Amino acid sequence: MLSLDNSYSVEDLGDWARRCEKLAGGERFDYVAELKIDGLSLSLIYEDGLLVRAVTRGDGMRGEVVTGNARTIRSIPLRLSEQAVGGARGDGLAGEIEVRGEVFLPAEVFERINREREEQELPVFANPRNAASGTMRQLDPRIVADRQLDIFCYQLLFDGVPAFGKHSRSLEWMRECGFKVNPHYRECQDIAAVIGYCREWGERRDDLNYEIDGVVVKVNQVGVQEDLGSTAKSPRWAIAYKFPARQVSTRLLDVIYQVGRTGAVTPVAVLEPVLLGGTTVSRASLHNDDEMKRLGVLRGDHVFIEKSGEIIPQVLKVIAERRTGEEEPFAFPHDCPVCGTSLVRPEGEAVARCPNRGCPARLREGLLHFAGRRAMRIDGLGEALVDQLIAVRENGLPLVGDYADLYRLRERREDLIRLERMGPKSVDNLLAQIDASREAGLARLIFALGIRHVGERTAAILAAHFEEIGRLAVAGVEELAAIHEIGEVVAASVRDWFADEENCLLIERLGAAGVSMRLASGTESRSRNFEGQQFVLTGTLPGLKRDEAKAFIESRGGRVNSGVSKNTNYLVAGEDSGSKLSRARELGIEGGERGINCLRQFALGSAAGIGSHELPEQVVVVS
Ligand code: IVH
């Protein structure tokens, strides 16, 4: 797989077009302009219509084989229809078809992954490209399936050569055959039209829900492509027009230290406001003391900052040449900037923490997390209100000193009404939301508690497994770590949290306030995502009794039938499955891993609360 030459200006593009015209020797041609997706390229090989191999670009000659992971990408067809392929090549599915494309992560998925990683205190991915490429190398295809990668296909080869006389026809063919092709490509009669396309997308790139870093321009006629040929590195018939990077330089005015709900102290750069990717940026993350030292930032420095995806801007590097000698060093604080307690930084950890659980900053962030949309969902509890609730009053006490106090606010209605920007109506709304949050359910409650390393998904897995908080509270590390997808770090963190007497007291107080501590019977965290689907079970399902499998499916709204018919959506075929499997195949119910992934996908559940641990891996599902 070759790479592309880059151009950074419309003048460069004009020069390239003139070279093409010269080398084409008078032959007429046009161009196809496509968005340059910022992901990683993948080659998909189909033999006799079946996906047999997926390989990353690697160094161009050799890449990594990632077939299992590629199969989890829903937009990659696992099997091509004979009709579609036969129509194009005349000899049916015989021979090798190669489709190349760019794997990417949709912006909202990238944000979700980073949010989860932040919650689990794992390093966040700097941009969607890194996240996509890290994901493709994952060893566990279930994690890949959960991350919802996507692909846009942009090149087609039959037995190693372009199949059609025009590139635009290849794009159409791929789309007809079920490949995902970016819909924004445009056939352009001349380079002026190409330049118009580049300008247009340079302005519209923020409208897309995936990252693009430029435009790829290709000569449309394959005959002319052949005339132009390639250098050792790149084809002469294509070029990348790169958008200006979303990096700017600005001045670092100061660093402030924010205390999070776990006590983690994060240095944040205060910047001279600067326009970047459509928004004014005045803050950037510096992560921790080690990162500040690595960058070597001084107060007053000029720095480069970058924004990729939707994440908080990052300080990339210091522009040392612009130093005047007036810059001053920063000193990471020894004490909590909010409550003054000495910070603790355990050996081998990058993060310094305030250990004072009564620290107002921790309580503030903790309450905001507890009330958050993905936790107990108390919408009326925003920053301004939380600040007032935790402020110490004349009697020396705040209105709210821990999460359980929220549930006693009804007794303090008069005090609430007197708060700034509150009135009887907004207070009653708030109290109603607090009341309703008692039934938020176990998964949300576990997430809301803010246990280190326990994100939304882990909370859902724990809730589904233990079904009530009392059982989770007494679970040992080994029992926790034995749960599929729960690692030792999470297990130890959960154990430590419940080993703390104050936390147990908090749980008691929440319970006494009427907060539900059990998995709600019915559908909480067990979404009915099999609704309307018909299943047939056959063979032995390792690790799962027939009744359990049936209950699992039915609890999600699916139906289990005894015989395979054309209405069957899924055949869950275990070991030694006999006639039902052949009957399903006869009926043309598509087979193979797609089915497994479908069911895993359901089980992994974008819908809250479904852990893949609920299905043994060995179960073969034919859909
Ligand atoms: S065509 C001979 N089309 O950009 C190379 N590439 O910098 C043919 N890319 O390695 C590549 N979007 O990973 C092509 N619409 C598009 C693309 C695209 C992204 C990537 C691809 C390639 C890299 C070159």
Side-chain angles (χ1 to χ4, degrees), residues 2 4 34-37 41 57 102 154-155 216 218 235:
L2 296 176
L4 290 175
E34 295 169 24
L35 300 183
K36 186 171 186 309
I37 315 297
S41 42
R57 180 177 182 280
E102 195 81 353
Y154 53 67
Q155 206 177 3
V216 179
K218 301 170 184 175

Side-chain angles (χ1 to χ4, degrees), residues 519-539:
L519 194 70
S521 56
T523 55
E524 186 227 337
S525 92
R526 303 204 155 177
S527 89
R528 295 176 68 79
N529 50 9
F530 287 173
E531 198 79 61
Q533 305 287 320
Q534 301 209 12
F535 290 75
V536 172
L537 306 174
T538 182

Side-chain angles (χ1 to χ4, degrees), residues 362-363 366-367 370 400-407 448-450 506 510:
R362 291 186 56 175
L363 179 59
L367 279 169
F370 186 85
V400 172
D402 72 10
Y403 309 154
D405 281 346
L406 291 173
Y407 296 96
L449 294 173
L506 170 68
L510 286 169

